[in-house]
Amino acid sequence: MSGEAYRGLADDVRDAVAAGRWDEADADLDTLAEEAALCLVQDRPADLAALAREVARCHTALALCEDRRPEAMHRLGQLRAIAALVAAGRANRPARSETALAQAGTPTAAVLRALADGAKSGPALVEATGLSHDAVARALPELRAAGLVRSWPAGRLVMNERTGAVG
């Protein structure tokens, strides 16, 4: 599968949950979980990264809908479990060096600069950096893996702050 296929599958999960089509949502979630396992077993880090982005995007979209029906909450929990599986698989990958992450002109460097004056939410980072939401969402896990950023939930938002000095 490709990043586009993962995006389509995540969108299908979101649409099925929103419409209450639980069997369809379960089938799509099973496919996401199977694909995550295949990426791990076949050592496909690029596909695992793409899958991580799409699972996180789908989880965020469903969480923001505030659908508290038990069926919807169950599917949200399944997405969280898939995200944990993917994160565990990615945790075994070595982080890029601080120097590489702080290299001028990279999204990770832009996020680090934006966080230099204090903690910011994801939307605030998008505004401060001029990067797309997806670019910020891809940069943050790398910065966390390198120990340069810590993140925590604050209501509907996730706050991010620098934890280390670069350079």
Side-chain angles (χ1 to χ4, degrees):
M1 284 191 147
S2 68
E4 286 181 32
Y6 297 143
R7 179 173 287 259
L9 194 54
D11 287 345
D12 289 347
V13 169
R14 189 191 67 231
D15 294 344
V17 169
R21 296 188 311 264
W22 308 120
D23 289 341
E24 184 180 321
D26 288 341
D28 291 337
L29 284 163
D30 285 347
T31 302
L32 280 174
E34 289 168 5
E35 190 60 27
L38 281 173
C39 288
L40 292 169
V41 169
Q42 296 174 351
D43 193 29
R44 296 174 9 220
D47 287 342
L48 199 57
L51 186 59
R53 284 190 299 275
E54 295 309 322
V55 168
R57 186 180 62 82
C58 183
H59 182 273
T60 300
L62 289 176
L64 290 174
C65 288
E66 296 185 3
D67 184 347
R68 299 296 177 235
R69 292 177 291 175
E71 298 89 349
M73 295 303 292
H74 176 73
R75 276 54 182 204
L76 195 60
Q78 289 176 296
L79 273 170
R80 197 173 302 120
I82 294 168
L85 172 69
V86 170
R90 295 184 76 206
N92 293 327
R93 308 269 179 242
R96 287 196 297 156
S97 71
E98 290 182 19
T99 304
L101 292 169
Q103 183 177 1
T106 64
T108 50
V111 170
L112 286 171
R113 273 192 312 280
L115 292 173
D117 60 349
K120 290 185 175 51
S121 67
L125 282 171
V126 168
E127 184 176 325
T129 62
L131 296 171
S132 70
H133 174 72
D134 285 345
V136 170
R138 283 191 302 271
L140 286 169
E142 280 196 279
L143 293 167
R144 282 192 296 269
L148 298 173
V149 170
R150 76 175 189 99
S151 303
W152 68 95
R156 287 183 167 200
L157 299 175
V158 174
M159 297 302 294
N160 306 280
E161 75 176 351
R162 280 182 74 158
T163 59
V166 178

